[in-house]
């Protein structure tokens, strides 16, 4: 599974994988507004992100250690088998174990948003009961997602059968914090509302000793979107807001030379936005990483 660790200032970040899969929706449906030939330059630039007419996608999660806190960002698809992706099972717990991280060390689980590939390991079912997989953690989500994902009309349109087991169970157990505004998780880690992909989508900005990185969640799902910020995928719930947020974040990370962490890009998803002949591109940030 590899070992991908980055230290920025005094903060340590560990890239984790729940799985890498060929997403079972053809590109022309997943990216309905993008002409098939428009992918060509990006097929050459980012070959690991395609499998024929499908997208190959990493399901990444991140562990951030800052000022004595251990924060897990997103929890993958979960134990499975996951029907929507052909019965695959998530590997996050095995990956954590291989990196010698115990579930009880995690004191905060931060959910960038409530799609099924980000909340799966929130709970584990034992003897028919959903119990928190991270027994000492409080979980955090934005109010706008908490509201939207429980609305019948949105449930009917997108289908979120995992919500009760993975999210609402946490509320019943009293371990879910629903937040309405940006806030600091530590003196170095701030969570920011970055809506569009979902109404309550959030990103995580880390700043320590003059260095910065942004764990951007699903603002960017594919590296081509760094160059083509108008491209929205099927799962972006509000295309206009998603595009606006994408442009705003790209401007911010470029102006402030912020490293970018992308959970659906090839592992470990560490990189930066560079400019070549006036256009922005994603560049894998191997120099940032200690193997
Ligand atoms: Zn996602």
């Amino acid at each position: 599974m590899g070992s991908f660790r980055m230290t920025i200032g005094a903060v340590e970040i560990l890239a984790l994988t729940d799985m890498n899969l060929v997403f079972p929706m053809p590109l022309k449906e997943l990216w309905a507004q993008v002409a098939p030939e428009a992918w060509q330059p990006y097929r050459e630039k980012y070959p690991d992100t395609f499998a024929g007419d499908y997208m190959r996608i990493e399901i990444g999660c991140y562990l951030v250690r800052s000022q004595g806190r251990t924060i897990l960002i997103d929890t993958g698809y979960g134990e499975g088998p996951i029907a929507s992706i052909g019965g695959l099972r998530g590997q996050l717990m095995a990956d954590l174990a291989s990196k010698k991280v115990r579930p009880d060390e995690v004191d905060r689980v931060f959910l960038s948003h409530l799609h099924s590939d980000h909340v799966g390991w929130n709970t584990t079912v034992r003897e028919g009961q959903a119990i928190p997989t991270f027994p000492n953690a409080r979980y955090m989500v934005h109010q706008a997602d908490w509201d939207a994902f429980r609305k019948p009309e949105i449930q009917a349109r997108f289908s979120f059968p995992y919500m009760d087991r993975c999210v609402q169970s946490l509320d019943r157990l009293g371990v879910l914090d629903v937040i309405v505004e940006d806030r600091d998780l530590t003196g170095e880690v701030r969570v920011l509302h970055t809506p569009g992909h979902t109404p309550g989508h959030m990103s995580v900005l880390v700043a320590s000793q003059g260095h910065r990185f942004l764990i951007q969640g699903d603002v960017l799902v594919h590296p081509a979107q760094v160059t083509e910020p108008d491209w929205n995928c099927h799962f972006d719930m509000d295309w206009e807001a998603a595009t606006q947020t994408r442009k705003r974040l790209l401007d911010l990370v470029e102006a402030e030379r912020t490293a970018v962490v992308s959970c659906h890009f090839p592992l470990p998803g560490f990189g930066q936005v560079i400019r070549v002949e006036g256009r922005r591109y994603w560049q894998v940030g191997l120099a940032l990483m200690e193997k």
Side-chain angles (χ1 to χ4, degrees):
M1 290 180 178
S3 171
F4 298 108
R5 186 185 304 275
M6 177 165 70
T7 309
I8 284 205
V11 180
E12 179 194 62
I13 171 170
L14 200 57
L16 302 160
T17 180
D18 193 40
M19 65 177 75
N20 181 280
L21 78 156
V22 176
F23 194 75
M25 180 185 273
L27 285 172
K28 62 177 192 287
E29 285 175 39
L30 188 54
W31 302 87
Q33 66 176 153
V34 180
E37 59 276 14
W39 287 108
Q40 198 49 45
Y42 306 109
R43 284 180 183 274
E44 288 160 22
K45 242 179 163 23
Y46 313 112
D48 297 349
T49 63
F50 297 92
D53 292 328
Y54 292 81
M55 185 173 151
R56 174 172 282 285
I57 186 169
E58 175 64 33
I59 306 297
C61 309
Y62 294 90
L63 192 83
V64 172
R65 289 196 172 102
S66 162
Q67 299 180 338
R69 309 288 294 188
T70 300
I71 304 161
L72 177 63
I73 298 169
D74 290 339
T75 66
Y77 268 115
E79 189 168 32
I82 311 295
S84 62
I85 49 168
L88 294 173
R89 291 173 174 276
Q91 303 298 316
L92 176 64
M93 302 317 289
D95 197 20
L96 280 168
S98 78
K99 294 175 169 70
K100 310 262 184 295
V101 179
R102 296 189 321 270
D104 63 5
E105 285 175 54
V106 174
D107 42 47
R108 166 72 67 193
V109 177
F110 174 76
L111 305 170
S112 66
H113 63 293
L114 294 182
H115 277 146
S116 61
D117 54 324
H118 296 261
V119 300
W121 281 107
N122 283 359
T123 58
T124 313
V125 176
R126 293 291 174 261
E127 296 166 9
Q129 290 281 96
I131 55 166
T133 307
F134 303 94
N136 296 325
R138 293 200 63 83
Y139 293 68
M140 182 178 278
V141 69
H142 194 280
Q143 179 90 43
D145 265 26
W146 174 240
D147 292 343
F149 280 66
R150 291 177 302 146
K151 274 191 189 142
E153 62 273 24
I154 295 188
Q155 289 261 359
R157 189 170 147 215
F158 290 99
S159 171
F160 302 128
Y162 56 89
M163 270 295 290
D164 189 75
R165 174 175 54 82
C166 297
V167 186
Q168 284 158 268
S169 59
L170 298 173
D171 182 49
R172 290 193 293 271
L173 292 164
V175 295
L176 184 67
D177 296 326
V178 179
I179 65 169
V180 293
E181 45 193 20
D182 299 356
R183 71 162 68 176
D184 296 324
L185 301 189
T186 75
E188 299 162 318
V189 179
R190 183 165 182 80
V191 297
L192 312 171
H193 188 207
T194 49
H197 182 68
T198 65
H201 184 281
M202 298 195 87
S203 304
V204 182
L205 184 64
V206 177
S208 177
Q209 299 175 0
H211 302 279
R212 295 160 63 90
F213 66 87
L214 179 78
I215 301 172
Q216 54 89 8
D218 279 12
V219 173
L220 304 161
V221 174
H222 190 280
Q225 289 175 295
V226 174
T227 317
E228 312 278 2
D230 295 322
W231 289 8
N232 292 291
C233 81
H234 173 79
F235 296 100
D236 290 328
M237 289 166 78
D238 178 337
W239 281 17
E240 209 178 297
T243 297
Q244 265 180 21
T245 289
R246 209 173 288 123
K247 289 179 173 170
R248 178 167 64 84
L249 280 196
L250 286 167
D251 287 346
L252 179 86
V253 299
E254 191 180 31
E256 302 194 347
R257 294 181 167 274
T258 302
V260 179
V261 179
S262 300
C263 65
H264 289 318
F265 294 12
L267 201 67
F270 300 154
Q272 55 217 339
V273 172
I274 57 160
R275 204 172 262 273
V276 180
E277 293 171 356
R279 302 198 81 192
R280 288 171 175 147
Y281 293 93
W282 171 255
Q283 184 180 60
V284 173
L286 293 172
L288 301 169
M289 212 157 55
E290 307 157 28
K291 277 219 172 182

